[in-house]
Amino acid sequence: MFRVDVGRYPTQQEGLEALVNPTQSAPNWNGPYLKKESALQDPWGNPYLYQIPGQHGEVDVYSLETTRRRAEPARRRMSEAGSNGFTLLEMLVVIAITAMISGIVAANMERTLDALELQQNVRLLQADLRVARATALRTGKSVDLEATDHGHEYDWIGGSRFLPAGITLSMSRPFVVYPDGSVDAPPIVMSSERRSHALAVDPVTGGVTVDGQ
């Protein structure tokens, strides 16, 4: 929701602290966006690391403690070997295991960020659909919302809303709200590379529901 309110992710200088504490560089800040400040720490009490732009997505949020702790048994084995040394095969196994663990952590974090970004854009579309209906009722004129540029953006009364890379909006025809508040809504699906959400709009009340929410 920070990205929805402010229009961007926290800068490197702001860091993840911007999710719980207001910052002068984000005048539209409307947080906190986390219930507890302790959510900024990993299970071992160390702060999560934040990088923008990220190497695996727009941003990277990760913990080095997971990799260090999972690699500890291998380190102990190497230490116990002492003057006896260890074989090249053992060294290669340790390197391969460490690389595999790092890859798993990065992949899990990338999936989490992908889900959060898709959820934020679905909520933004929900809000736009509600605003479109309210505008039609207030002005007495029909309002429509239409996916354009192969689903990478949509046009409505607020102008063009550009979706982040990797997220698309699928609509077979324009979404239309009539002056009496009734709605002609096609099937609406917002998708990322890994998942999708279908939005359903009640044709009478204009209520918007999302699968899985």
Side-chain angles (χ1 to χ4, degrees):
M1 294 304 293
F2 179 98
R3 184 172 180 271
V4 174
D5 291 337
V6 180
R8 58 173 173 79
Y9 290 111
T11 64
Q12 191 71 50
Q13 183 176 3
E14 292 168 341
L16 296 176
E17 286 290 329
L19 299 180
V20 293
N21 296 314
T23 172
Q24 293 181 351
S25 55
N28 293 329
W29 193 92
N30 192 31
Y33 300 96
L34 297 175
K35 293 183 179 179
K36 298 182 179 179
E37 192 166 356
S38 60
L40 297 177
Q41 297 180 339
D42 65 20
W44 300 277
N46 299 311
Y48 281 110
L49 301 179
Y50 177 74
Q51 181 177 344
I52 181 169
Q55 296 181 353
H56 306 285
E58 291 187 67
V59 299
D60 283 349
V61 180
Y62 56 97
S63 168
L64 295 179
E65 190 65 20
T66 301
T67 301
R68 285 199 294 266
R69 288 180 177 253
R70 291 185 180 179
E72 188 61 33
R75 293 197 193 98
R76 285 200 300 269
R77 183 180 176 185
M78 293 167 62
S79 177
E80 291 168 357
S83 59
N84 293 329
F86 42 84
T87 67
L88 176 60
L89 177 60
E90 289 175 322
M91 291 179 60
L92 293 176
V93 169
V94 170
I95 293 172
I97 291 175
T98 303
M100 180 179 66
I101 293 173
S102 299
I104 292 173
V105 171
N108 288 339
M109 187 60 66
E110 186 175 359
R111 284 194 292 270
T112 300
L113 292 174
D114 174 83
L116 288 174
E117 184 174 48
L118 177 60
Q119 188 178 59
Q120 288 176 349
N121 282 274
V122 167
R123 289 178 177 174
L124 184 59
L125 177 58
Q126 279 183 283
D128 288 346
L129 293 173
R130 295 189 181 106
V131 170
R133 184 172 184 272
T135 301
L137 288 170
R138 186 181 70 254
T139 63
K141 296 180 180 179
S142 296
V143 175
D144 63 273
L145 184 149
E146 181 178 8
T148 57
D149 190 23
H150 304 288
H152 297 296
E153 62 183 82
Y154 59 88
D155 293 334
W156 69 308
I157 53 174
S160 294
R161 183 82 74 183
F162 299 93
L163 299 175
I167 293 181
T168 57
L169 176 63
S170 174
M171 299 170 60
S172 59
R173 63 181 187 277
F175 168 89
V176 181
V177 185
Y178 298 104
D180 62 357
S182 60
V183 174
D184 178 14
I188 303 174
V189 178
M190 184 170 283
S191 308
S192 66
E193 295 179 356
R194 293 181 174 87
R195 65 193 70 212
S196 63
H197 286 296
L199 293 85
V201 183
D202 188 288
V204 178
T205 66
V208 183
T209 57
V210 181
D211 66 339
Q213 294 188 357

